[in-house]
Amino acid sequence: MKKAKVTSDSYLHVTMEVTASTTARRYPQFIVSDREAPVQDYLDQGNTVIMQIFRNWPSYVELQICEHRPWDVNNQCPFFQFLERMNNNKAIALASIDEASELTGADVLTRFDLFMSSKRAYLLMNRKLYGCVDLPATGVPKGDVTVTFGDVLYHSGADAVVGYSKNYLQYDTERRFDNLGFSSNIPAPQWDHERIPCVAASAIDIHR
């Protein structure tokens, strides 16, 4: 398996295009981990970062930090939410970016680009600047890492879907991926730090 690399002085770029309409029970994600595949079996032995778009309208994009702990649909890792700035579990501000739900659809490919070092992560949606977070000192994988692309579906009979999904996909999932890839040892993306400043994860309540 070809591995990527996370360092302190360069960036790992992970990209995908995906039909990204979501609920709290079905959503796409990608996983960067210092564990070998299948990574979910070994998350409690290492450090992992998960990027996913989550929940019904309005959905939001989050970066989860799994520090030597498992991940499951009902036991997700502490996370940073890009749209809302949180303090003590309360939203105190909104970033000057589009709602993720405005960029997604059941028949629309949405592009996600994550640029990640061991210290900082930048996210773009549809090639537009979306968010930046200064990562915590612990819990972030470093060195050689695996990159995994996935699609989550669980307890779909209880999922709050409507229209076509309710009629034809209540118990199934349908998602299209394209242009999956990653590159290591590249520079940070060009960024407008005045409009979208980097937020320290340590200063945010990143627990669900």
Side-chain angles (χ1 to χ4, degrees), residues 12 16 33 61 76-77:
L12 165 65
M16 71 175 176
S33 179
V61 183
Q76 302 204 8
C77 297

Side-chain angles (χ1 to χ4, degrees), residues 38-202:
V39 293
Q40 190 170 348
D41 293 343
Y42 308 107
L43 291 187
D44 59 347
Q45 301 174 19
N47 295 312
T48 301
V49 167
I50 298 174
M51 193 288 299
Q52 64 184 33
I53 181 169
F54 190 65
R55 290 196 182 279
N56 302 69
W57 186 289
S59 54
Y60 56 80
V61 183
E62 61 186 32
L63 205 67
Q64 297 193 8
I65 309 295
C66 303
E67 181 178 3
H68 288 88
R69 54 154 290 169
W71 180 96
D72 213 328
V73 291
N74 57 359
N75 183 30
Q76 302 204 8
C77 297
F79 75 97
F80 172 82
Q81 184 177 317
F82 282 101
L83 177 62
E84 293 183 345
R85 303 297 183 241
M86 308 291 289
N87 190 6
N88 295 323
N89 285 322
K90 294 182 179 180
I92 58 175
L94 293 177
S96 58
I97 55 178
D98 296 327
E99 290 271 4
S101 303
E102 300 287 347
L103 305 177
T104 65
D107 59 352
V108 175
L109 284 173
T110 302
R111 175 166 172 163
F112 295 87
D113 289 276
L114 177 70
F115 294 81
M116 189 183 102
S117 73
S118 61
K119 297 180 179 180
R120 175 173 285 180
Y122 296 97
L123 180 71
L124 291 83
M125 285 185 68
N126 287 345
R127 301 180 186 271
K128 296 172 63 176
L129 309 187
Y130 200 77
C132 175
V133 56
D134 288 326
L135 297 170
T138 60
V140 178
K142 301 173 183 178
D144 290 340
V145 296
T146 56
V147 178
T148 304
F149 300 89
D151 185 27
V152 176
L153 175 69
Y154 82 100
H155 197 182
S156 59
D159 201 2
V161 289
V162 296
Y164 173 83
S165 294
K166 184 175 181 61
N167 292 332
Y168 299 102
L169 294 172
Q170 183 74 64
Y171 302 100
D172 298 284
T173 185
E174 181 179 84
R175 197 172 302 282
R176 183 158 55 97
F177 290 85
D178 203 352
N179 295 322
L180 309 180
F182 61 84
S183 300
S184 303
N185 298 315
I186 64 172
Q190 293 186 339
W191 201 263
D192 184 347
H193 287 274
E194 183 174 347
R195 183 171 72 88
I196 306 179
C198 299
V199 177
S202 59

